[in-house]
Each structure stands twice: as structure tokens, then as C-alpha cells.
Amino acid sequence: GSPLPPDQYGAFIRDAMNNHGKALTNDSALAAIRALYPCDAPAVDCAAPAADFIADHTFVTGTRFAVRAAAAAAAAAATGGRALRAFMYHFDYRATNDPAPASFGIYHTSELPFVFDAPGKGWNMTAKRPRKGRNMTAKWPSERRTGHQPAKTRPADWPLK
């Protein structure tokens, strides 16, 4: 991608959070975001922290919102009716021969060959993949069926507040 100079990084964050002109986020919130995704001198390119910010803003924030809403619905359902549980996962493995450019890192949808235990065209998975794929393929339906996530795979901050 194109480089993002440090002197343009603050404006990039502000524009992304303020919908390119509509003031939705105040200065203290923007400062907090910059603290989470720092890029200051002597950096010459802020593209990597900008990409991390955009990925989190696009995928993680909405997902966490949805899971919190589901957890709230579960609390309401607990008083009468069927309780609803919601789980999140963080996929952090990149197949050695993933056909996408290495610069993509671990990207949205890169978990799908593991979830469905079916590598896509061009994938040449490592020996780690069959075990990881079998684990995911077996674990998710079990969690959905039972409504319980095994303690050893449960995040420390579960349930989300």
C-alpha cells in the first residue's frame, strides 16, 4: 500500500472516526485512539498502525458490540425462556503457504479453511493445520449445541462487560 507520513496520521484517524467530516468523536477520544495505535517520530510510515486501527474499527468493534448485545439478551432470557450465549474467537495463525500476499498478515476470512476443514485453492497447509482444523471443526458446533465454552479456551475477560 501507500505510505502514510506521520504528519498525516492524526488527520487520518480523525477522518476515519468522524466519517470524513461529520464531528462524531471528540479530541480526548481521538487522543486515546492514537495512544492505542501509536505512530510518532522517528517513524517514517504510519501505514501499519493505520491498517491495525482500520481492521479493529471495522471488524473488532462491531463484533464486540454484537457479542455484548447477545450477552445482554442472555441475561434477560435467564429470567424466563431460553438463555442465549455468545462466543468470540481471535484467530492468530497464518498458514505457511497462504496464497494471499504476506503483507496481508492474518486477515478477515483466513480462518475459514480451518473452520470448515477445507483448504481453498492454492493453499498448502502445514502439518499444524489438520489438528487446528479438526479442533475448530469439532469445537464450534459443540459450543453452539451445549452453550458452554471450555474453560481452557475461554478468554480471561469473559463474559464481556
Side-chain angles (χ1 to χ4, degrees):
S2 301
L4 178 62
D7 64 340
Q8 295 175 19
Y9 185 62
F12 172 85
I13 298 290
R14 184 185 63 248
D15 288 348
M17 289 304 296
N18 288 329
N19 201 20
H20 304 283
K22 298 174 186 165
L24 304 173
T25 308
N26 65 34
D27 289 341
S28 63
L30 292 171
I33 292 166
R34 291 223 30 204
L36 289 171
Y37 303 92
C39 186
D40 299 310
V44 294
D45 184 8
C46 296
D52 289 343
F53 159 70
I54 289 297
D56 287 351
H57 179 59
T58 304
F59 297 109
V60 177
T61 303
T63 301
R64 289 182 71 90
F65 177 83
V67 170
R68 284 186 181 106
T79 60
R82 185 170 176 231
L84 173 66
R85 292 181 176 255
F87 301 99
M88 289 180 61
Y89 69 94
H90 178 82
F91 189 78
D92 63 357
Y93 175 74
R94 180 177 167 89
T96 319
N97 293 321
D98 184 325
S103 62
F104 284 17
I106 300 164
Y107 53 92
H108 179 62
T109 73
S110 63
E111 78 281 10
L112 293 180
F114 298 92
V115 173
F116 297 108
D117 206 17
K121 184 178 179 181
W123 286 74
N124 182 5
M125 308 295 243
T126 64
K128 193 174 184 179
R129 195 225 46 99
R131 187 183 87 243
K132 189 175 286 287
R134 281 193 305 273
N135 289 347
M136 290 177 74
T137 303
K139 179 179 155 187
W140 286 9
S142 172
E143 289 175 359
R144 188 189 66 74
R145 194 171 45 258
T146 66
H148 297 286
Q149 187 178 36
K152 66 182 181 180
T153 62
R154 189 179 310 133
D157 64 348
W158 186 260
L160 293 176
K161 303 288 184 230

